[in-house]
Amino acid sequence: MRVLPYGDRAFLLEFDDVHQVIAHHAAIVAAAPPGIVELVPAARTILVEVDVSLRTLDDVVREVTALDPLPPDADRVTPLVEVPIKYDGPDLADAASAVGLSVESFVRRHADQAWVAAFTGFAPGFAYLVGEDEWEIPRRASPRVAVPTGAVAMAGPFTGIYPRESPGGWQIIGHTDVVLWDLDRESPALIPAGHRVRFRERT
Amino acid sequence: MSEHALEIIEAGPLATTQDLGRPGLMSMGVPRSGAADRDSLRLANRLVGNPEASVGIEATFGGLKVRARGLLTVALTGAPAQARRNGQRVAHNSVVRLRDGDVLALGAPRAGARTYLAVRGGLLPGLVLGSGATDVLSGLGPPPLTIGVVLRVGTSPNALPDIDLAPRPRLTNSAIELPLTWGPRADWLTTESRQRLLDTAWTVTPTSNRIGLRLSGDPLDTHADRELLSEGLGQGAIQVPREGRPILFLSDHPVTGGYPVVAVVDSTAIDAAGQAVPGQTIRFRLSRGRATR
C-alpha cells in the first residue's frame, strides 16, 4: 500500500490489484474511522477525503494504513445481492470465446462464482463487479450508441449492469429486470461498493 | 398563514438552487455538488439568520429577476452584480427586505461569475438525497431555474443577526493566484512541465462551468505512453488529459477520472476558483502550507 498526496484534506491509497482494494476498502468501512467524509474505491486506489476540522490528515492516514485488510470470505456479514439474469445478450458468444469456453460453460461459470462490487462510477448505481475467475474480456471494437437499461455486460475482468440507457463498449451477455438506481429507496444504489453479488439464471 | 415564496421572472444565463451538496455518497457514484463558492452561500445564509447549509440561488453571470410573495428578508453575496429592488439600487453583502410583489433584479456582475441569493427561512425545492443542489453533471437535484418557477420559503429557527452588512475582500477579474500542492500523479508530468504548470499564465476558457475550469496555455507534456486506471476525483484536483490542457475540478466534478491528477488546489482557494470568469488569468504557486505527507 502506498500513500499518495491529494491536497490538504484528502489522500490516495494505491494498491497492486483490485483484490487489495476490495480488502482494504472493507477494512476501512468496518473500522469506520471518524472524520472520513468520502471513501472512493477504484481499480487500484482508494481516495479518502477527511473533515480536517475534526481530525488531521496525518491522524487518519496513520489509522487507515494500520488496518488489516479484510479479504472477502463467506463468514463475513457482507450484504449479498441476488440478481436474476437471463443470459441472452447479443455478445454472449463473443465473450465466451474470448475466455475459451462454450456458451454453456461460460454461463455456468458466470452464475456459479461470487462477484464483489469493487467500486462504482460511470453512472450513479453502476458497479464494477469482480469475480473469482481472472477473465479478460475485450471491449467491443465499436461501442454501442445505446446500451439498454438492465443490460449485463463485461469488459476486462469486470461485470457491470447498466442502471439506465447509455452508450457503452462492453460486451452484453444478458439482461436483468432489477432496478439498480432508485432515488426513492433508502439506499438508491442496489449495489454499493463492497456488496457481494450472485447472478441467478432465469430461464 | 400566508404562503411565502419567490417567483422566478427571469433566470439569466444559468440560475440553480444550491446548498452545501450531498457529502458522503461518492462511493455510490454520486458527486458532492453544492455551491461553487461555498463561503459566499454560507455568508448569505448567515446574513439572513439561516443555518449555513440552507438552500439559496446561485445566479451565474447575473440576469436573475425574482418577485417576492409575502414579506421576505434576503441577502446577496458572491459576485457583485448591481441589484435593484423595484428599480432602486440595493446593497451587496447586506440584508434587503422585500414586500409582497417587490421585484429584485440582478445586472451583470462587475467581477466574479456567481452571485448568491439567500432568503430568510431558506428555499424549499424538492430535495434529492437530502440536498437541494442542482448537479449539472449527474443531473441530480432540481432542474435549473426557469421563468415561472415558484420556490416556497421555509422558516428559520434562528434570530436575525445584529449585523446587516458584511465586509468582504473584493472579487476581481484580473489575474488570480491559486496555491496548490503536488498531487498523486505529479510524476506523470515531465520535470519541465511541472515547472511550466507554475510559470504559465493560464486562461480560463468559455467551456468552463460548475464541473470545472478548463484552462488554455502552452500544453503540458505528460508521459502519454502510460495508461492510468480511473481513480477517485476531488474538488480542486488538477487533471491533465493527453492533449495537455489542465482542468481544475469544481463542485460538480465526476466521481472518478482516468487522466492523471498532477496537483490539487488548496481547499481554501476553491471558492475563488469557483468565481473565475472566462478570459481570466490564473497562476498557480506552490502552497506555503506544508505538503500533505
Side-chain angles (χ1 to χ4, degrees):
Chain A
M1 185 198 315
R2 287 164 296 282
V3 182
L4 302 175
Y6 209 106
D8 56 11
R9 56 179 186 191
F11 57 92
L12 192 72
L13 299 173
E14 187 179 45
F15 303 91
D16 294 330
D17 59 47
V18 73
H19 304 288
Q20 289 183 17
V21 172
I22 294 169
H24 283 271
H25 177 253
I28 301 173
V29 169
I36 293 183
V37 185
E38 300 278 5
L39 206 53
V40 192
R44 294 285 180 280
T45 56
I46 302 175
L47 178 66
V48 184
E49 196 187 308
V50 175
D51 181 345
V52 291
S53 70
L54 294 178
R55 274 181 96 180
T56 67
L57 216 43
D58 283 349
D59 205 20
V60 179
V61 168
R62 257 194 306 277
E63 176 170 355
V64 164
T65 52
L67 295 172
D68 289 324
L70 279 180
D73 72 318
D75 299 342
R76 215 170 82 220
V77 204
T78 308
L80 175 72
V81 182
E82 293 216 350
V83 175
I85 176 178
K86 207 159 190 171
Y87 287 99
D88 59 358
D91 306 322
L92 181 61
D94 286 352
S97 75
V99 293
L101 293 176
S102 68
V103 164
E104 205 177 30
S105 348
F106 176 85
V107 165
R108 200 177 325 119
R109 274 307 303 157
H110 193 271
D112 274 353
Q113 59 189 295
W115 297 84
V116 180
F119 53 98
T120 61
F122 171 63
F126 187 94
Y128 292 77
L129 307 173
V130 177
E132 294 157 31
D133 291 356
E134 300 281 321
W135 283 345
E136 196 55 47
I137 312 265
R139 280 158 198 270
R140 284 169 52 82
S142 159
R144 287 189 172 84
V145 179
V147 175
T149 303
V152 180
M154 291 197 70
F158 302 116
T159 296
I161 311 171
Y162 284 72
R164 60 177 178 195
E165 187 181 290
S166 5
W170 290 30
Q171 309 269 9
I172 304 177
I173 60 169
H175 81 274
T176 177
D177 294 329
V178 296
V179 178
L180 273 293
W181 181 253
D182 181 356
L183 282 171
D184 294 329
R185 245 187 336 230
E186 192 182 343
S187 168
L190 181 71
I191 312 174
H195 278 37
R196 291 179 299 145
V197 171
R198 282 267 179 195
F199 289 97
R200 292 273 175 255
E201 188 176 7
R202 206 163 43 91
T203 44
Chain B
M1 189 180 116
S2 68
E3 165 120 303
H4 289 72
L6 200 64
E7 179 188 348
I8 309 296
I9 305 175
E10 282 171 27
L14 174 69
T16 57
T17 53
Q18 295 295 339
D19 50 23
L20 299 181
R22 312 179 170 82
L25 300 174
M26 275 175 72
S27 64
M28 239 190 258
V30 175
R32 173 153 180 175
S33 188
D37 173 357
R38 286 167 202 279
D39 211 36
S40 289
L41 175 71
R42 283 196 197 99
L43 173 68
N45 276 322
R46 283 201 305 274
L47 280 168
V48 296
N50 285 346
E52 288 189 337
S54 302
V55 179
I57 294 179
E58 179 181 277
T60 312
F61 302 124
L64 177 74
K65 197 188 253 187
V66 295
R67 183 183 289 124
R69 292 191 181 176
L71 196 65
L72 299 180
T73 301
V74 306
L76 294 163
T77 62
Q82 195 174 86
R84 291 178 184 276
R85 175 184 52 201
N86 303 333
Q88 300 294 311
R89 288 190 59 175
V90 295
H92 195 66
N93 295 330
S94 179
V95 176
V96 178
R97 316 265 176 182
L98 301 179
R99 283 164 308 179
D100 186 41
D102 278 0
V103 171
L104 181 71
L106 297 185
R110 289 192 306 278
R114 296 177 172 93
T115 307
Y116 293 87
L117 171 67
V119 181
R120 177 161 171 80
L123 298 173
L124 304 174
L127 301 188
V128 175
L129 299 174
S131 163
T134 301
D135 185 333
V136 300
L137 178 76
S138 71
L140 288 173
L145 296 173
T146 50
I147 298 168
V149 167
V150 176
L151 295 162
R152 286 189 305 120
V153 173
T155 49
S156 177
N158 307 337
L160 266 175
D162 290 333
I163 55 143
D164 60 1
L165 184 69
R168 297 279 288 169
R170 289 173 72 92
L171 280 173
T172 175
N173 286 353
S174 316
I176 54 168
E177 199 181 63
L178 301 177
L180 57 72
T181 48
W182 294 117
R185 308 297 169 195
D187 61 350
W188 281 54
L189 287 180
T190 60
T191 313
E192 186 272 331
S193 280
R194 273 207 292 280
Q195 193 54 47
R196 199 137 46 83
L197 177 65
L198 302 174
D199 291 344
T200 302
W202 298 99
T203 305
V204 177
T205 70
T207 51
S208 301
N209 53 22
R210 288 179 41 84
I211 298 168
L213 299 180
R214 290 172 176 272
L215 306 177
S216 73
D218 199 6
L220 303 172
D221 299 312
T222 57
H223 295 286
D225 48 321
R226 301 188 195 169
E227 195 69 41
L228 185 73
L229 293 165
S230 288
E231 52 194 33
L233 280 179
Q235 260 181 50
I238 298 176
Q239 192 188 56
V240 181
R242 255 185 216 119
E243 44 87 12
R245 289 180 184 84
I247 302 168
L248 197 179
F249 282 112
L250 301 177
S251 291
D252 293 355
H253 63 81
V255 169
T256 58
Y259 296 109
V261 169
V262 300
V264 181
V265 168
D266 286 7
S267 53
T268 49
I270 291 171
D271 288 340
Q275 288 290 5
V277 297
Q280 189 163 0
T281 299
I282 288 183
R283 286 179 176 280
F284 297 111
R285 65 169 168 80
L286 273 179
S287 176
R288 272 186 287 270
R290 75 203 174 88
T292 46
R293 48 185 286 257

